[in-house]
Amino acid sequence: MSRFFVDAADVGENSIFIYSKEDIKHMGKVLRLKEGDKIEISDSAQWEYQAEICAMEADVVEALILDKQKFAREPEARVTLFQGIPKQSKMETIIQKSVELGMFSLIPVFMERTVVVDKGNFSKKQQRWQRIAAESVKQCRRGIIPEIKDPLKLPNVIQALSAFDLVLFPYENETGRTIKDSLRSQEKRPKDIALIIGPEGGFSQQEAEMLKQAGADRVSLGKTILRTETAGPAALAMIMYELEL
């Protein structure tokens, strides 16, 4: 059953209205949906619905609510991935896999060893990454579309870390402490978690020290050195296994 996302304001007492031109076109020309067909709809906040299409117009689709329940597939832990910006299409892979694994949001980060340069068109990349996140959500049927936020530099990231219950910093020079060790040492279950991953080449020594001084918990992802496009999804899988399964 196909899944669509709307704003909570588009949900009425008995019906839901879909206004996205892209979704309406996809419903009619690709999926060949028609009146009487059933679909799934998320309000992007906390509720998901089973609904039946009762009217299809060029600018709006109306669906009758058949069933309503709270999100069934969203993890309780909200993990924000601060991803050192990698080269080429690696970020697309990171986003696809991280969305499937339960990432809450992603913030691209410019670091000392970041090769990519912002030439004034970075917003186009961000828009493309957001579309990839939306496509990945529809495939795995999550309740929300993780937001791909504006890029930051590492000093700005450090200023934002106080908002999180736990900050995890996978570092290749850490050999003892694991993500499991960190999570199990917390006095209470962390809800908002920051996960900071370096670009190709990893963190500089100065960046590693800055993160340590900011209170980030330095952890190991295992005996081997992982690529940047592997490290984030691997760490997310470890977090979700420990907290959600």
Side-chain angles (χ1 to χ4, degrees):
M1 193 180 299
S2 300
R3 171 165 290 228
F4 300 91
F5 291 81
V6 300
D7 293 330
D10 297 330
V11 179
E13 185 175 349
N14 299 307
S15 297
I16 302 173
F17 299 89
I18 299 173
Y19 295 104
S20 166
K21 292 180 180 179
E22 184 178 343
D23 283 344
I24 293 170
K25 180 179 178 181
H26 186 68
M27 294 169 80
K29 294 189 175 182
V30 179
L31 299 176
R32 303 290 184 183
L33 295 174
K34 58 187 182 300
E35 293 180 11
D37 286 340
K38 294 179 174 58
I39 57 176
E40 292 180 349
I41 301 175
S42 166
D43 69 358
S44 307
Q46 63 174 329
W47 297 101
E48 55 190 11
Y49 304 83
Q50 286 192 0
E52 179 180 309
I53 298 172
C54 59
M56 296 188 72
E57 304 294 340
D59 57 351
V60 63
V61 170
E62 181 180 0
L64 182 68
I65 295 173
L66 303 177
D67 184 58
K68 172 184 177 180
Q69 64 178 350
K70 288 193 173 182
F71 292 153
R73 298 181 180 89
E74 282 302 310
E76 292 184 22
R78 297 184 300 203
V79 181
T80 295
L81 175 59
F82 292 86
Q83 173 65 53
I85 300 169
K87 296 182 294 184
Q88 301 171 340
S89 62
K90 293 177 182 178
M91 185 69 96
E92 297 180 9
T93 300
I94 293 167
I95 291 169
Q96 288 174 340
K97 303 310 176 187
S98 298
V99 167
E100 291 178 29
L101 289 164
M103 176 186 75
F104 180 72
S105 63
L106 182 145
I107 300 177
V109 184
F110 286 99
M111 300 184 185
E112 286 187 27
R113 294 175 180 170
T114 299
V115 176
V116 176
V117 177
D118 183 1
K119 298 180 180 179
N121 61 349
F122 200 86
S123 62
K124 292 183 178 179
K125 291 185 179 182
Q126 189 177 352
Q127 291 168 12
R128 185 174 73 253
W129 293 340
Q130 187 65 69
R131 287 196 297 270
I132 290 168
E135 291 166 2
S136 299
V137 160
K138 291 177 181 178
Q139 182 274 325
C140 62
R141 296 189 175 182
R142 286 183 55 187
I144 67 165
I145 300 175
E147 182 181 1
I148 310 302
K149 298 187 178 183
D150 293 335
L152 296 175
K153 294 183 179 180
L154 190 61
N156 303 116
V157 170
I158 289 174
Q159 293 175 8
L161 296 182
S162 60
F164 294 90
D165 302 324
L166 175 64
V167 179
L168 292 172
F169 161 39
Y171 188 47
E172 61 188 51
N173 292 337
E174 174 60 44
T175 58
R177 188 170 176 80
T178 65
I179 287 178
K180 178 173 68 176
D181 294 332
S182 178
L183 293 172
R184 292 187 178 184
S185 69
Q186 304 302 309
E187 293 184 4
K188 62 180 182 179
R189 178 191 176 99
K191 186 172 183 179
D192 290 292
I193 300 172
L195 175 62
I196 307 175
I197 302 293
E200 296 97 340
F203 299 96
S204 69
Q205 187 171 351
Q206 180 182 3
E207 289 173 330
E209 186 60 30
M210 287 171 63
L211 287 166
K212 180 180 178 182
Q213 292 297 323
D217 197 352
R218 196 169 82 172
V219 294
S220 168
L221 296 182
K223 295 180 180 180
T224 59
I225 305 299
L226 302 182
R227 295 176 182 269
T228 187
E229 65 267 33
T230 307
L236 268 167
M238 295 174 192
I239 293 169
M240 294 303 168
Y241 178 80
E242 186 66 25
L243 294 181
E244 303 289 336
L245 298 179

